[in-house]
Amino acid sequence: MRAYVTAMLVATTAISGGGIAWAQSSSPFSGLFSRDDPTEGPVDLDITVEGGNDTLATRIRQTSLIAGALSEDRTTGQDVLAAARGDYARILGVLYDNGFYDAEVSITLDGQEAAEVALLDAPDAVSRAHVVVTPGPEFTFARADLAPVAPESEIPPEFAVGETAGTGVMRRAALAGVEGWRNYGHAKADVASQSITANHDARQVDTRIGLDPGPAVSFGRLNVSGNRRLSERRLRKIAGFPEGERFDPEELSDVRKRLRRSGVFSAITLEESETLNPDDSMDVDLTVIEQKTRRLGAGFEVSNTDGILVSGYWMHRNLFGGGERLRIDAEVKDIGSDSSGRDDSYSIRIDRPATLTPDTTGFVEFEADQIREEDYDEDVATLGFGFNHIFSDELTADIALQYQFSRAYDDDLERDFKVLALPAGVTWDKRDDQNNAKNGFWLQGDATPFYGFEDTDSGLRALGEGRAYYSFGDDRFTLAGRARLGSILGAKIENTPRNYLFFSGGGGTVRGHPYESLGVEVIEGSDGAIKTGGMSTATATAEFRFQVREKIGLVAFADYGRVWSEGAFDGASGEHVGAGVGVRYDTPVGPLRFDVAGPVSGDTANGVQLYLGLGQAF
């Protein structure tokens, strides 16, 4: 038995010297298992690690084939025996990974050592499996050499003299060394040699790993296959493959991300050529699978006072064969609202990826809105075009040129507003999950300078928002906060488009108060005061989220909002506060949200508010 285990040690880890042993039963096999009663029953699995190393015991259980078989209800004697015989090697692997090379492993099935039982002599049933591991002493590095190492390589700090000499650390160090050379432009870097010797008397391991960087490599040609509707010229433009540039694995990652963002493909495969060209350039094979061109989507939200919001969209990918995306959106809200009429919003947008640069998307958009609020009505039409640029996975920016016409009805007063605007924004997203963030932050800043025609003033609309998330207790508890500031400078409130102004109240700002219930009053001649949005706003939200079960969570929240009648947070103002509790149920597309909120302060209250929607409040 010991000869078998020693051979496995050398083949698996290339560490020589010493061996692993397990306890052997002196009882003969015949008579230990009875085949007279083939009834299957529950199998008890006990895993014991001498010395009380709970971490090692947990890792052994996680890798155990017996534990896996039992969790899948594979409890026949044949299944358990096969798993037990395979577990010797798996447990050895765990021990080697953690620096234990003088261990003893025993796996008994109803008292019989599993290694002594031939597979053809498997029992009909097993009632108890017992794994006993005696790890022995922990080995440390007497030498930990890795060379040559590329500049800025990130070698694990555990690969050092005096540290635990686990094979897992050795593998990570070797892989990090190869990755360091690849990041430095040597695409074919590899491990050239390794010498690993264990000194069992000194309980130390001497490790020397040699790396072969290979030549500096440049990108060769991109070979494309699989595209049918998308033209190859546009595919190459979208991919932005850096032909002729120095090899960098991050560049290949960027190519994959650009293709995925286009929305045209359901699968993308990039494979590096196994051999280099004579000039040390390397070709890359790209294989894509295009997905269906059309897609539908819908959403909803329900409030007991604001009514129902229903939204939907229809999208066509690769509209003209160049990756263009057509999207038509429709939203109807305040259906059955107690305080306003129905609002309708429709938009048509065409996005064209790889416009100007591979990371820049150009777009043309038309939007029409019909707004029927308690204090005013407004019809708005907006036409614009612009660009969105992706600097990284976290940082994006966009800019557009828009012309907007709106007609507002305040009581019996009708006003037209015409502006030419240049909206620009930057978003920095460091959340761990966009649909249900547990940690990180999200920042967005928008600035919209606008030029007014005829009786419409010119000015600047600025709006900034920040969100932060912090979780603790194994992410069961989450503190979430949101703050929003906005102001309009250089224009008078009566000569500013109504849809540029700021309101507070409702699910997006202050829950517990009706939608857009907080604004300001403006004196408009002999007809008296008109209630409208303000020129400045500040809102804040705090939430405490508690994950009760895997899919069920509870939320307690408080919202604050304030609106000013003048820019720069000046002039007359009003404020209100709401608070409440909610329930979250996780779904594959995000948590289903149900909130109950009531007013805490302010004179815009209208009883308890109920909100039902998909996704966290922020």
Side-chain angles (χ1 to χ4, degrees), residues 443-468:
L443 299 174
Q444 185 179 63
D446 296 312
T448 306
F450 59 93
Y451 177 81
F453 297 94
E454 298 178 2
D455 296 331
T456 306
D457 284 351
S458 302
L460 172 69
R461 185 181 192 269
L463 180 64
E465 182 174 337
R467 306 172 186 177

Side-chain angles (χ1 to χ4, degrees), residues 91-365:
I91 293 173
L92 288 177
V94 174
L95 292 166
Y96 298 164
D97 276 351
N98 290 272
F100 297 101
Y101 302 106
D102 272 339
E104 292 185 357
V105 178
S106 171
I107 304 176
T108 58
L109 306 179
D110 290 338
Q112 174 69 26
E113 191 69 39
E116 295 181 348
V117 183
L119 286 175
L120 295 179
D121 293 328
D124 291 324
V126 174
S127 61
R128 183 171 186 263
H130 191 194
V131 179
V132 179
V133 177
T134 305
E138 187 178 76
F139 283 54
T140 59
F141 283 111
R143 183 192 320 212
D145 287 349
L146 178 70
V149 176
E152 301 181 9
S153 296
E154 297 181 359
I155 307 302
E158 299 85 6
F159 187 69
V161 173
E163 297 289 338
T164 300
T167 56
V169 174
M170 301 178 202
R171 283 193 296 269
R172 291 196 298 273
L175 291 174
V178 171
E179 188 64 20
W181 279 112
R182 282 176 55 81
N183 292 336
Y184 203 63
H186 294 251
K188 297 304 179 182
D190 203 353
V191 175
S193 63
Q194 55 180 321
S195 173
I196 305 171
T197 305
N199 185 329
H200 287 257
D201 294 331
R203 299 172 184 175
Q204 292 182 324
V205 175
D206 185 294
T207 303
R208 286 172 286 180
I209 301 174
L211 300 178
D212 178 14
V217 176
S218 61
F219 283 111
R221 179 172 175 78
L222 181 68
N223 302 314
V224 177
S225 63
N227 57 305
R228 297 185 178 182
R229 292 180 294 268
L230 180 67
S231 72
E232 183 173 329
R233 183 186 67 83
R234 285 292 297 154
L235 187 151
R236 292 181 179 277
K237 186 69 180 294
I238 294 171
F241 183 74
E243 184 174 341
E245 297 182 11
R246 192 190 78 171
F247 172 81
D248 185 346
E250 282 295 320
E251 293 284 355
L252 286 182
S253 177
D254 290 342
V255 168
R256 186 177 291 106
K257 291 174 183 176
R258 293 180 190 119
L259 294 170
R260 187 183 304 116
R261 285 197 303 260
S262 72
V264 176
F265 309 107
S266 60
I268 302 163
T269 303
L270 283 168
E271 293 185 346
E272 301 174 14
S273 176
E274 294 185 1
T275 59
L276 300 179
N277 297 320
D279 61 351
D280 288 335
S281 65
M282 182 183 68
D283 295 341
V284 176
D285 296 329
L286 168 64
T287 304
V288 297
I289 299 176
E290 297 178 352
Q291 60 181 332
K292 295 180 179 179
T293 57
R294 296 171 180 83
R295 182 178 180 182
L296 290 170
F300 74 96
E301 186 169 317
V302 180
S303 168
N304 65 317
T305 57
D306 300 335
I308 301 173
L309 181 153
V310 179
S311 63
Y313 70 87
W314 178 85
M315 184 168 62
H316 190 297
R317 305 180 181 94
N318 196 26
L319 182 63
F320 302 121
E324 302 85 2
R325 181 171 62 246
L326 169 66
R327 176 164 171 153
I328 301 175
D329 284 83
E331 179 183 275
V332 181
K333 65 180 183 178
D334 295 349
I335 302 172
S337 172
D338 295 338
S339 58
S340 67
R342 192 186 77 183
D343 294 345
D344 300 332
S345 178
Y346 308 94
S347 67
I348 300 175
R349 176 169 169 145
I350 297 178
D351 289 275
R352 183 179 185 270
T355 301
L356 302 182
T357 77
D359 293 311
T360 305
T361 298
F363 64 87
V364 178
E365 184 175 30

Side-chain angles (χ1 to χ4, degrees), residues 365-392:
E365 184 175 30
F366 174 76
E367 183 175 354
D369 301 283
Q370 180 177 274
I371 303 170
R372 297 294 179 263
E373 299 301 327
E374 181 178 9
D375 301 301
Y376 75 98
D377 295 338
E378 185 177 24
D379 297 324
V380 184
T382 305
L383 177 64
F385 70 93
F387 303 94
N388 173 270
H389 185 77
I390 298 176
F391 294 97
S392 68

Side-chain angles (χ1 to χ4, degrees), residues 511 543 555 557 581-584 593-597 609-612 617:
R511 288 161 287 186
E543 287 194 351
V555 176
F557 58 84
V581 295
V583 178
R584 303 290 185 267
R593 169 171 47 94
F594 176 70
D595 290 336
V596 180
Q609 311 286 305
L610 305 178
Y611 305 92
L612 176 65

Side-chain angles (χ1 to χ4, degrees), residues 428-443:
W428 189 15
D429 190 348
K430 294 287 288 185
R431 296 172 294 178
D432 58 350
D433 186 336
Q434 293 184 359
N435 293 325
N436 189 13
K438 298 287 187 180
N439 292 282
F441 62 87
W442 182 91
L443 299 174

Side-chain angles (χ1 to χ4, degrees), residues 480-483 504-513 518 538-545 555-562 575-581 584 593 595-602 609 611 617-618:
R482 175 177 64 181
S504 182
T509 51
V510 178
R511 288 161 287 186
H513 292 264
L518 179 62
T539 61
T541 295
E543 287 194 351
F544 176 71
R545 303 171 183 172
V555 176
F557 58 84
D559 300 340
Y560 168 83
R562 186 172 182 180
E575 61 183 11
H576 56 187
V577 177
V581 295
R584 303 290 185 267
R593 169 171 47 94
D595 290 336
V596 180
V600 175
S601 66
Q609 311 286 305
Y611 305 92
F618 61 92

